[in-house]
Amino acid sequence: MHLIVLVCRLIDRPLRPTMLKGFYHETQILSWVLSYDGLHAPDSLAVTAAGIAVALSELPHTEPIAGVRIGLVGGKFIVNPTMKEMEESELDLVLAGTDSAILMIEGYCNFLPEEKLLEAVEVGQDAVRAICKEVKALVRKCGKPKMVDAIELPPPELYKHVEEIAGDDLVHVLQIKNKIPRRKAFAALEEKVVDILSQRGYVGKSEAVVTAETAPDLYVDDDEDEEVVVDGEIDEGDVRIKPTPRILTPMLFSEVDVKLVFKEITSKYLRKCIVEGGRRSDGRTPCAIRPINSKCGLLPRAHGSALFTRGETQSLAVVTLGDRQMAQRIDRLEGDDEFKRFYLQYTFPPSCVGEVGRIGAPSRREIGHGTLAERALEPILPSTEEFPYTIRVESNITESNGSSSMASVCGGFLALQDAGVPVKSHVAGIAMGMVLDTKEFGGDGTPLILSDITGSEDAFGDMDLKVAGNDDGITAFQMDVKVGGMTLPVMKQVLLQAKDGRKLILAEMSKCSPPPSKQLSRYAPKIHVMKVRPEKINLIIGSGGKTVRNIIEETGVESIETQDDGTVKITSKDLESIEKSKAKISNLTMVPTIGDIYRDCEIKSITPYGGLCHIRELSSSYLAKADDVFKVGDRVDVKLIEVNEKGQLRLSRRALLPDMDPLVPSTKQRTTAAPKESSASQRTIANSVAKKVTNTCKDGSVEGKVEPARIKAGPQKAPTKRLSEDDVPSRKSVKRAVTAASDGPSINEVHKSARIKVGSCFGLTMTKSDNYKKKGQITTM
């Protein structure tokens, strides 16, 4: 629904200025996508299709319109690019207009210079001109006659009456600086005009207006001897009774027409005051910016907040951080559903303009303004790898007197900084207006461009152009022209003046007090990102998601998100639960590396065959039987010394010992039974291989940590007979470094609490089990 509304706005905005005033028939334009090739976006085509439908219909309008999309790939502009080309494009511009003027532009880019944008507009205007030429040819061949007779304009006399009554007062009302008093004065003056015209008999209660032309009248025909009555003659025998002539009444006007004319007269006087006096309603010059005040951290419990005020327009922006589950899902015609990790919601309640009204679903205006502000901020956000959060910005307009969408850009940027989001650059937005025809009011005919327009200048002006960006270029723009059109030289002047305005706004935003914290809020969720081998993702998920659900339940984390490329994101409210889940995931996905050391491992069983540690690797001295010195439950340190060609692991305690092992009896004591003691100092061997995980710090450093894992094994005894070659696996092995997961150190890492089997037959380094699935890798329970 969101995208449908945006496309409908693209269709409506260029069509509206072409419709003739005075046409009050309800008109509906429907646009369907009946067939889609998957290559070209249908929105710009829908604009052209709507323009052709209007041109062929009976609707009275000025000229046909058309729309195109312009992309920039490899330094070259492309008209109506494919979806694949748009993935590489530096610009997304939708332009609509007639064969002689631009009526609407909207687009987004990554700090594109003004000069490049003007080049794109010129390319788009040429394409629109070519389309409109073909449409006109089609209209001449198939077009229907226009309903010109249906146009009902207010009588010219009404303009004279309204200007005579309200002209002088309008000059004073337009100089009231504050919006609310000025609006009240306008309403009172409008009511005064209606009352005076009603007292004079010019305003009727009914929409059916009786004019002088329809009133009965008398006339004398010079060719006749007697007076001829056009209407109402009565003949009673020989007596002719002449009707009494009706007293002529002045022309009656409807109240709706009076208010429409009052609005047009107000617009005329507003332009006149600006052009003649060089000053606007609030006393500013055309290039001046309203006073700016901003502060951050207004809401201590929120992840980030900012209050941005420019004149009488104010935005309270709030930033909330979440995991991927908080991403906004968008249904797209062009392909798979989109999950937006950043979205901005713009709220414009009736209270912000002093009105009473119901608050329901977002209006078309709110959706359009929110999308514009969202796309303006998107280029400055860090990548998912740099900042693995879903970011939601909510802009609440607390008061409005023009340019609230650009206030949302400024407030949203400050709130992002306050939430600790590492933004790439600064961004600000400004709204521009224009008085196109200055010659009418005594000027030289050069368009007068207004920076940072107010609500009345937007309503009564000829243009509304919103531009966001910084000193380097533009990130988002939107223009609506309400008169004949816009030429490229005028647009260039507007963009350059807007650039100067953005610089001033950015300078004022830098004075924000209190300033943004630029640190992650303690109330924000903690997200840890770790990498495992992609083929091990299924081990984390488990059958039907059972394993990952168990990890979430046991550790208390909020969510664990896995991706096909081996990325694992753990989200929690505290670091302790993250550490627990990291340990469990590490146990499931560890990748052993020759040279790794596992500390304080528990012996789970001693077996006559198999096992991870051969009897020769238990001690630097001769050992007849493993259970002479070690027993189940003892703890030892071991080192991974070999991974054979089958992926089997070989551990060694001897590699970590001096030449003489104090735990093993001397040669003279071998004939006597050695006491089976196991002190805490004697039980030091590992019970598993652990996974190494990392955490990326704010300063860019990487800290590694190893978490425990467990592997079961059975008891072991010395073999009672010599094994044949068929019984003993090949001793040929490959000592190779198995690459560990990319999220931590891989050599000589300290591991704890691993469980191993101790075996007495060389070559049987590990018993085959369900835990061991892939060559060179080990999975633990």
Side-chain angles (χ1 to χ4, degrees):
M1 189 63 187
H2 185 89
L3 292 176
I4 295 175
V5 170
L6 295 177
V7 175
C8 288
R9 282 174 55 86
L10 290 179
I11 297 172
D12 174 76
R13 285 159 48 200
L15 280 175
R16 191 174 295 274
T18 67
M19 296 299 176
L20 296 178
K21 294 181 180 179
F23 185 77
Y24 298 113
H25 289 262
E26 291 188 359
T27 304
Q28 185 177 29
I29 300 175
L30 302 176
S31 178
W32 292 286
V33 179
L34 301 178
S35 179
Y36 176 58
D37 61 3
L39 298 177
H40 300 87
D43 50 1
S44 58
L45 299 179
V47 176
T48 301
I52 295 173
V54 170
L56 294 174
S57 71
E58 303 95 331
L59 289 175
H61 68 107
T62 54
E63 292 183 88
I65 71 158
V68 294
R69 170 175 266 105
I70 305 298
L72 178 59
V73 181
K76 295 182 179 180
F77 294 106
I78 304 175
V79 178
N80 289 331
T82 64
M83 299 298 297
K84 186 175 182 180
E85 288 172 330
M86 283 304 300
E87 293 176 1
E88 305 296 329
S89 178
E90 303 174 43
L91 170 69
D92 182 4
L93 165 66
V94 177
L95 180 145
T98 66
D99 59 355
S100 59
I102 303 168
L103 296 176
M104 182 274 293
I105 62 172
E106 179 165 333
Y108 314 99
C109 44
N110 191 1
F111 297 103
L112 193 71
E114 283 78 3
E115 294 77 13
K116 274 289 184 183
L117 178 58
L118 288 171
E119 291 179 27
V121 172
E122 186 174 6
V123 172
Q125 190 175 21
D126 291 341
V128 166
R129 187 179 294 113
I131 297 173
C132 289
K133 181 179 179 181
E134 299 296 327
V135 174
K136 286 185 177 181
L138 180 64
V139 171
R140 287 193 295 269
K141 185 177 181 180
C142 308
K144 296 181 179 181
K146 301 301 179 181
M147 299 171 59
V148 180
D149 295 340
I151 296 177
E152 298 177 2
L153 293 174
E157 292 82 358
L158 182 56
Y159 289 86
K160 297 179 182 179
H161 289 303
V162 173
E163 190 168 356
E164 177 189 348
I165 297 171
D168 294 336
D169 292 336
L170 275 175
V171 175
H172 298 290
V173 172
L174 287 170
Q175 299 305 316
I176 300 176
K177 294 183 178 182
N178 296 327
K179 176 182 177 179
I180 299 300
R182 184 170 62 249
R183 188 173 66 177
K184 290 181 178 179
F186 273 129
L189 184 57
E190 182 184 68
E191 190 65 28
K192 174 184 175 182
V193 171
V194 174
D195 289 342
I196 291 177
L197 290 177
S198 298
Q199 293 172 7
R200 294 179 181 177
Y202 287 101
V203 176
K205 297 296 181 180
S206 173
E207 292 294 332
V209 178
V210 180
T211 63
E213 286 78 2
T214 61
D217 199 0
L218 299 174
Y219 73 91
V220 176
D221 189 347
D222 295 336
D223 297 334
E224 298 289 333
D225 294 333
E226 61 180 348
E227 202 172 78
V228 177
V229 179
V230 176
D231 188 19
E233 182 176 305
I234 302 176
D235 186 0
E236 294 183 0
D238 295 332
V239 180
R240 294 180 178 272
I241 301 176
K242 299 179 180 179
T244 304
R246 185 179 302 175
I247 300 176
L248 298 180
T249 59
M251 180 183 295
L252 292 177
F253 310 111
S254 69
E255 186 174 339
V256 173
D257 282 342
V258 174
K259 292 183 177 180
L260 287 175
V261 171
F262 178 80
K263 181 179 179 181
E264 292 186 31
I265 297 295
T266 300
S267 175
K268 175 183 175 181
Y269 271 72
L270 175 68
R271 300 157 188 258
K272 183 178 179 180
C273 290
I274 296 175
V275 174
E276 290 183 352
R279 293 281 174 177
R280 297 150 74 175
S281 296
D282 52 9
R284 287 183 292 149
T285 61
C287 297
I289 308 296
R290 289 174 290 177
I292 292 175
N293 182 30
S294 54
K295 56 182 67 177
C296 289
L298 214 66
L299 307 176
R301 185 59 179 81
H303 299 164
S305 61
L307 185 68
F308 178 83
T309 308
R310 178 165 53 197
E312 294 176 297
T313 298
Q314 186 177 76
S315 167
L316 174 61
V318 181
V319 170
T320 306
L321 305 176
D323 58 7
R324 189 175 183 273
Q325 293 180 348
M326 299 295 106
Q328 187 180 43
R329 180 177 177 178
I330 303 295
D331 295 332
R332 299 183 63 87
L333 177 65
E334 294 85 356
D336 297 335
D337 292 348
E338 176 186 357
F339 289 89
K340 294 174 59 176
R341 64 177 289 257
F342 168 66
Y343 50 100
L344 186 147
Q345 293 176 309
Y346 167 96
T347 305
F348 193 90
S351 59
C352 72
V353 288
E355 296 178 356
V356 176
R358 294 183 61 185
I359 298 178
S363 65
R364 287 173 48 185
R365 179 183 177 277
E366 288 177 301
I367 292 174
H369 281 35
T371 301
L372 178 64
E374 175 183 299
R375 298 294 294 271
L377 293 171
E378 197 167 17
I380 68 172
L381 296 178
S383 64
T384 306
E385 290 72 21
E386 297 173 301
F387 196 72
Y389 285 90
T390 293
I391 306 169
R392 176 180 181 264
V393 179
E394 183 179 357
S395 175
N396 299 279
I397 306 302
T398 57
E399 62 173 332
S400 176
N401 187 14
S403 190
S404 58
S405 63
M406 296 297 97
S408 299
V409 174
C410 300
F413 166 73
L414 292 173
L416 287 171
Q417 282 192 312
D418 191 55
V421 179
V423 294
K424 299 177 183 178
S425 176
H426 291 64
V427 167
I430 186 171
M432 308 294 292
M434 181 178 64
V435 177
L436 186 62
D437 186 8
T438 58
K439 198 170 185 179
E440 180 184 355
F441 309 110
D444 58 1
T446 303
L448 181 62
I449 300 170
L450 309 176
S451 297
D452 184 26
I453 58 176
T454 61
S456 59
E457 291 167 343
D458 182 4
F460 300 134
D462 296 329
M463 180 197 71
D464 178 19
L465 172 64
K466 303 178 178 70
V467 189
N470 60 10
D471 297 351
D472 299 326
I474 297 172
T475 59
F477 51 91
Q478 183 182 95
M479 183 187 76
D480 294 309
V481 180
K482 305 171 185 178
V483 290
M486 172 79 70
T487 61
L488 284 175
V490 175
M491 183 175 292
K492 180 178 181 180
Q493 185 181 351
V494 174
L495 290 176
L496 292 179
Q497 187 168 321
K499 184 176 182 179
D500 295 335
R502 291 199 309 272
K503 291 180 180 179
L504 293 174
I505 295 171
L506 287 170
E508 292 299 318
M509 289 169 60
S510 65
K511 303 175 185 178
C512 179
S513 179
S517 69
K518 297 184 180 181
Q519 294 182 354
L520 198 66
S521 169
R522 63 191 181 97
Y523 298 110
K526 310 299 184 292
I527 297 183
H528 175 76
V529 180
M530 57 191 297
K531 294 284 287 187
V532 301
R533 290 200 171 186
E535 59 268 22
K536 290 184 173 288
I537 288 295
N538 289 335
L539 299 176
I540 302 174
I541 299 174
S543 178
K546 181 178 180 181
T547 303
V548 71
R549 287 196 299 269
N550 289 339
I551 296 175
I552 293 174
E553 182 178 352
E554 293 173 6
T555 61
V557 298
E558 293 184 351
S559 66
I560 297 176
E561 176 196 344
T562 60
Q563 299 177 11
D564 294 339
D565 64 351
T567 301
V568 180
K569 293 182 182 179
I570 308 171
T571 304
S572 178
K573 294 181 179 179
D574 58 87
L575 294 175
E576 183 180 356
S577 57
I578 287 183
E579 292 298 325
K580 291 179 181 179
S581 61
K582 282 165 55 179
K584 289 185 174 293
I585 293 173
S586 299
N587 292 342
L588 292 171
T589 60
M590 64 79 59
V591 178
T593 302
I594 293 176
D596 286 350
I597 298 173
Y598 308 105
R599 301 289 186 184
D600 196 28
C601 302
E602 179 185 356
I603 299 177
K604 298 300 294 182
S605 61
I606 301 175
T607 61
Y609 303 102
L612 291 171
C613 186
H614 187 264
I615 191 172
R616 294 178 183 176
E617 298 297 336
L618 286 176
S619 173
S620 57
S621 303
Y622 174 78
L623 190 62
K625 293 194 303 181
D627 49 7
D628 285 345
V629 179
F630 302 97
K631 67 178 182 179
V632 174
D634 289 349
R635 310 187 79 85
V636 293
D637 297 343
V638 291
K639 181 178 181 180
L640 179 61
I641 61 174
E642 183 179 340
V643 180
N644 67 15
E645 59 186 5
K646 296 182 179 181
Q648 296 173 327
L649 308 181
R650 184 181 175 198
L651 303 177
S652 173
R653 175 176 175 270
R654 183 181 65 178
L656 301 176
L657 295 176
D659 292 340
M660 294 299 295
D661 185 356
L663 295 183
V664 178
S666 63
T667 306
K668 294 181 180 180
Q669 297 173 327
R670 290 175 187 170
T671 56
T672 61
K676 296 183 179 181
E677 299 179 357
S678 62
S679 63
S681 62
Q682 292 173 336
R683 302 170 184 174
T684 54
I685 287 190
N687 81 11
S688 166
V689 194
K691 166 118 168 78
K692 297 176 289 296
V693 296
T694 62
N695 185 26
T696 303
C697 304
K698 283 189 174 181
D699 59 1
S701 61
V702 177
E703 57 182 13
K705 187 169 183 179
V706 178
E707 304 296 341
R710 298 180 178 271
I711 304 175
K712 294 183 179 180
Q716 165 188 323
K717 292 183 180 179
T720 57
K721 65 177 182 178
R722 186 178 181 86
L723 298 177
S724 66
E725 292 184 0
D726 295 334
D727 296 329
V728 181
S730 171
R731 295 182 59 178
K732 180 181 178 182
S733 63
V734 180
K735 293 189 177 181
R736 54 191 175 90
V738 180
T739 304
S742 59
D743 58 336
S746 60
I747 302 296
N748 296 326
E749 186 62 61
V750 179
H751 299 260
K752 296 182 178 180
S753 304
R755 298 180 180 179
I756 65 170
K757 290 183 180 181
V758 179
S760 59
C761 181
F762 181 81
L764 300 178
T765 58
M766 178 180 177
T767 55
K768 186 176 181 182
S769 68
D770 291 338
N771 296 329
Y772 182 63
K773 296 184 180 296
K774 293 186 179 290
K775 185 175 181 180
Q777 302 166 2
I778 183 169
T779 307
T780 62
M781 297 179 60

